């Protein structure tokens, strides 16, 4: 189970390693299921401001919108493949994508199907993100920062809305390894990221300062994250195919 996204405070969309998108209530009852348009496994999902569901299809280089019983292809990429995505407070879509040759990664902002911004390089013309195989999830913070967990770099990369690097969070200084995967932000601007293989969730503030861990011995590879309007945290357990709420 890869991703979870809150439709409301009582309903959650999920996706995993099959081609079905599933909507559940908090009792774990399946409310709705939708097969992807291509039949491929989706890489990530996000709920839009209007309550639609968007998902990335890495294998056919598309970004798709589920609305009612219809699935519409919003964007078809050329030379790039989409991975993570999120819906912003302004209604834009932010998408992480990797080049077909798997050598470059960037974040692109879309308004509808129109590209508005591309974020790839720092001020020294160095790549902001590595091209590691893991999905690059992302989240927009309440201050409009764009937060990207970069497993290959062992860092959460945070850039401003203008695409300028603000900081890289690489874990507390005493931490030997750090492999961030999932990410979300809360109403106070805190950033939460899942360190799946160390089986904990890091909390940092909007300036990159470590605040603490969420950890429990029962956690098993926490992966995708989301918060609802009341700052309840939901996360998937990758191999157990469970969603947990904190």
């Amino acid at each position: 189970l890869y991703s979870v996204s809150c439709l409301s405070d009582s309903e959650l969309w999920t996706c995993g390693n099959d081609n079905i998108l599933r909507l559940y209530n908090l009792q774990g009852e399946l409310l709705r299921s939708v097969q992807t348009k291509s039949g491929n496994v989706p890489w990530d999902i996000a709920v839009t401001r209007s309550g639609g569901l968007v998902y990335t299809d890495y294998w056919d280089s598309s970004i798709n919108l589920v609305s009612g019983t219809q699935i519409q292809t919003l964007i078809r990429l050329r030379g790039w493949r989409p991975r993570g995505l999120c819906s912003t407070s302004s209604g834009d879509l932010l998408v992480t994508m990797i080049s077909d040759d798997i050598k470059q990664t960037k974040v692109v902002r879309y308004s509808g199907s129109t590209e508005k911004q591309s974020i790839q390089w720092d001020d020294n013309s160095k790549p902001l993100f590595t091209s590691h195989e893991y999905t690059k999830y992302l989240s927009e913070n309440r201050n409009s920062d764009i937060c990207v967990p970069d497993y290959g770099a062992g860092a959460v990369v945070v850039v401003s809305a203008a695409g300028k690097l603000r900081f890289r969070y690489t874990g507390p200084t005493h931490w030997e390894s750090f492999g961030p995967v999932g990410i979300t932000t809360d109403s106070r601007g805190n950033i939460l990221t899942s360190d799946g293989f160390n089986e904990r969730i890091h909390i940092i503030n909007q300036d990159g300062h470590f605040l603490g861990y969420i950890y429990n011995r029962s956690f098993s590879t926490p992966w995708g994250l989301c918060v609802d309007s009341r700052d309840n945290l939901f996360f998937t357990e990758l191999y157990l195919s469970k969603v947990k709420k904190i």
Side-chain angles (χ1 to χ4, degrees), residues 3 15 42-46 54-56 83-86 135 137-138:
S3 301
C15 73
W43 275 64
D44 196 15
I45 54 174
V54 285
Y55 69 89
T56 51
R83 289 193 163 184
L85 81 169
C86 75
T135 297
Y137 296 103
L138 78 168

Side-chain angles (χ1 to χ4, degrees), residues 14-72:
T14 66
C15 73
N17 65 342
D18 63 10
N19 61 6
I20 307 295
L21 308 160
R22 294 176 174 87
L23 180 67
Y24 291 95
N25 63 21
L26 297 191
Q27 289 70 50
E29 298 166 334
L30 180 63
L31 304 179
R32 189 178 169 205
S33 60
V34 180
Q35 181 174 312
T36 59
K37 188 174 183 179
S38 65
N40 295 329
V41 174
W43 275 64
D44 196 15
I45 54 174
V47 173
T48 68
R49 288 182 66 197
S50 59
L53 181 71
V54 285
Y55 69 89
T56 51
D57 189 326
Y58 177 88
W59 305 106
D60 74 357
S61 304
S62 68
I63 300 156
N64 303 273
L65 171 67
V66 179
S67 181
T69 59
Q70 303 297 314
I71 299 179
Q72 173 191 357

